[in-house]
Amino acid sequence: MFQKILIANRGEIALRVLRACKELGIQTVVVHSTADADAMHVRLADESVCIGPPPSRDSYLNIHQIVAACEITGADAVHPGYGFLSENAKFADILAAHNITFIGPSGDHIRIMGDKIEAKRTAKRLGIPVVPGSDGAVTEEKEARRIAAEIGYPVIIKASAGGGGRGMKVAHTEADLEIALQTARSEAGAAFGDDAVYIEKYLEKPRHIEVQVFGDGFGGGVHFGERDCSLQRRHQKVWEEANSPALNAEERSRIGGICAKAIADLGYSGAGTIEFLYENGEFYFIEMNTRLQVEHPVTEAITGIDLVHEQVRVASGGGLSVKQEDIKFNGHAIECRINAEDPRTFTPSPGTITHFHTPGGLGIRVDSGVYSGYKIPPYYDSLIGKLIVHGRNRVECMMRLRRALDEFVVDGIKTTLPLFRDLVGNADIANGDYDIHWLEKYLAKGE
Ligand code: ADP
């Protein structure tokens, strides 16, 4: 087991990882920018190292400073959290070269999944169902026309190097194709420095369903069920559930089994998430994230297993604490992402939180790094906390969520709490009847 873990992140996830390390009796080091000197995880860590000024590129993305912080403090492993360097293959490689363990998969696996064409090809080879489309990059309009005609319109053109929902264009008819191909390529080139694009069938009303997987580091793989993250705004997840209201037990174990086997065949190590669009009973792979996800607590709620403990165990060569047959799904969980944003316009609302009171009671978990008097710096993303609610079934979970949202007080800044108070009373949400476009349509109606 590791002696000392350095946490290369900030905010709620830095605190989340710190808690797991403390429980495992591992010493903790956190790195922080000058803007985060007062952060909760900095106060609670055994050691802290200031690695630079507020902009992420000078601090949380500064690989040399982070490696130096490991060497100064004698940390033998790094947990990258999510975002920042968590899917940076070069960072994983550099740590390995310094004999520091990256708590995550190998640089090679990160690289494969970071290239969407390569990821899709790999998924297909491993027996994961993918969206029908081109086999690789498409440059010629003639070829694009042929593929689109074969799979049928509408089609979506996506950047191979894409991320964050950028560089995607939909063509509804053949007449739209030329312009969609050109715009997607020039946007991809400008945003990612790589203009490779590929074509897939555009699904009209899918749900976003993702499977939590783990490779044990010895060639074995398991799944921890799925999460439904269909409620999104601008491709950003807003509300997540486990299990998905759309799947039955048979579908769950079928797709879970396919993913667990793929992970084993790939020789993957650590936590990963295989993301699908789901429509008319079919799953279509879109991408794999090679890290812990923001929404991992809903999986923890229904399985009772601490996924960060498992990440640390696997990275240290100790394997998983559970086998597939030990992983049972108990009840239902929902997570609301609470952002420091205007609940109608979603413009960021940084500033000082004058009062912060979190709900409590059975089945309630709040993961947050903020406190009364905390000043939210304007440099980073606007997530200030996550409310995770667990119940014996979805109905109980929703009743408890409504109660918890009523208790939650955040004064001094605007937050997205009012949006969740609206959603929890909505009939479609109560019925679990929504697809990936539902929230955008709902928000458009409210204006
Ligand atoms: P990114 O890495 O940029 O987030 P993804 O491939 O994960 O890109 O896709 C982001 C979102 O775009 C999906 O969650 C979905 O809403 C939409 N999308 C992607 N591919 C398709 C498709 N084939 N049909 C319909 N919507 C899609």
Side-chain angles (χ1 to χ4, degrees), residues 116 131 156 158 162-166 168 200-203 208 232 235 275 277 286-287 436:
K116 301 185 119 200
V131 193
I156 183 166
K158 298 167 80 171
R166 284 179 305 166
M168 292 191 278
E200 25 187 67
K201 176 141 194 74
Y202 180 71
L203 301 165
H208 174 114
Q232 302 183 358
H235 302 303
E275 296 194 337
L277 295 176
I286 44 173
E287 67 171 341
I436 59 168

Side-chain angles (χ1 to χ4, degrees), residues 223-350:
H223 74 89
F224 286 75
E226 84 286 2
R227 296 181 284 262
D228 195 317
C229 313
S230 302
L231 288 176
Q232 302 183 358
R233 180 181 169 272
R234 299 201 175 155
H235 302 303
Q236 298 293 315
K237 297 163 189 167
V238 170
W239 157 305
E240 300 104 343
E241 318 196 19
N243 296 309
S244 168
L247 294 197
N248 60 36
E250 188 273 321
E251 286 176 296
R252 173 164 307 117
S253 87
R254 180 172 65 87
I255 193 68
I258 290 171
C259 291
K261 179 170 184 305
I263 284 307
D265 292 348
L266 192 59
Y268 186 86
S269 175
T273 297
I274 304 184
E275 296 194 337
F276 295 95
L277 295 176
Y278 172 84
E279 194 172 70
N280 300 327
E282 299 290 337
F283 289 91
Y284 302 96
F285 171 88
I286 44 173
E287 67 171 341
M288 175 169 176
N289 292 317
T290 52
R291 54 166 167 83
L292 191 70
Q293 305 265 104
V294 177
E295 59 273 21
H296 76 279
V298 290
T299 301
E300 296 184 324
I302 63 160
T303 59
I305 298 164
D306 186 312
L307 297 180
V308 180
H309 283 188
E310 298 303 318
Q311 285 189 295
V312 172
R313 282 183 62 111
V314 168
S316 71
L320 289 166
S321 74
V322 284
K323 296 193 175 53
Q324 188 69 61
E325 58 268 29
D326 304 325
I327 302 167
K328 302 267 190 288
F329 306 114
N330 169 27
H332 194 88
I334 296 175
E335 172 180 281
C336 300
R337 294 193 191 192
I338 299 160
N339 289 344
E341 287 171 0
D342 183 293
R344 287 179 63 81
T345 62
F346 298 95
T347 39
S349 174

